[in-house]
Amino acid sequence: MVVRHWGGYVSVDWDCDGDNIEPLLWCLRFLIVDHLPLDYWLSRIFPAIEKRYAGGDPGWEITNVDLDTGDMLYDPSGKIIYRVWIDEDISYLESGVGIYEEAIIKYHVRRTLENFRAIHPPSSSEIDALVLKYGLDYSI
């Protein structure tokens, strides 16, 4: 496994994560940042048992709601699904939409929080609390 820095506190392992992860990685660059409380955006996407939406500049959004019907998104097995959108003109990425199971979102949020912890050790207790609060484990 070769994990590489992607941007902000986000990292990626292309062999494990695959190419279709880029819209999520782009959003994570704006979800976990130095200038906002760590829970600022996380509280807007978790817990997924309720309708959730987060988004902002520069052109990103994460939701577990069908924006046309207002219904929560589920796959056929009943797992919660998130739709991630990024502005392709701003991000310069080819694919502006990603569809991910909740476990994948949580996995990458946790990895991003661990990268944040490595740079900001005083945030460790806050990160530990968020991991427990939102069930952010590494299993996918």
Side-chain angles (χ1 to χ4, degrees), residues 38-59:
L38 292 175
D39 203 25
Y40 183 82
W41 290 112
L42 295 181
S43 67
R44 288 162 170 78
I45 63 170
F46 299 128
I49 57 172
E50 302 168 4
K51 294 179 181 180
R52 295 296 187 185
Y53 172 87
D57 285 331

Side-chain angles (χ1 to χ4, degrees), residues 16-126:
C16 297
D17 298 331
D19 291 337
N20 65 341
I21 203 73
E22 285 183 318
L24 176 57
L25 299 178
W26 178 266
C27 290
L28 288 176
R29 293 177 61 203
F30 306 105
L31 271 170
I32 299 169
V33 292
D34 296 332
H35 61 280
L36 293 172
L38 292 175
D39 203 25
Y40 183 82
W41 290 112
L42 295 181
S43 67
R44 288 162 170 78
I45 63 170
F46 299 128
I49 57 172
E50 302 168 4
K51 294 179 181 180
R52 295 296 187 185
Y53 172 87
D57 285 331
W60 67 274
E61 63 187 30
I62 298 177
T63 186
N64 66 349
V65 178
D66 183 319
L67 298 177
D68 292 328
T69 66
D71 296 330
M72 286 182 58
L73 298 169
Y74 296 96
D75 75 3
S77 69
K79 293 180 183 174
I80 296 170
I81 300 295
Y82 281 85
R83 179 187 176 275
V84 173
W85 170 85
I86 58 172
D87 186 322
E88 294 173 14
D89 293 334
I90 294 171
S91 68
Y92 298 105
L93 297 175
E94 290 180 20
S95 175
V97 176
I99 305 295
Y100 310 102
E101 290 182 4
E102 178 186 23
I104 292 171
I105 300 285
K106 286 184 171 184
Y107 173 84
H108 289 284
V109 166
R110 171 74 185 267
R111 186 158 65 187
T112 305
L113 285 170
E114 293 301 334
N115 292 339
F116 187 93
R117 181 194 314 259
I119 304 298
H120 304 283
S123 297
S124 286
S125 60
E126 181 183 4

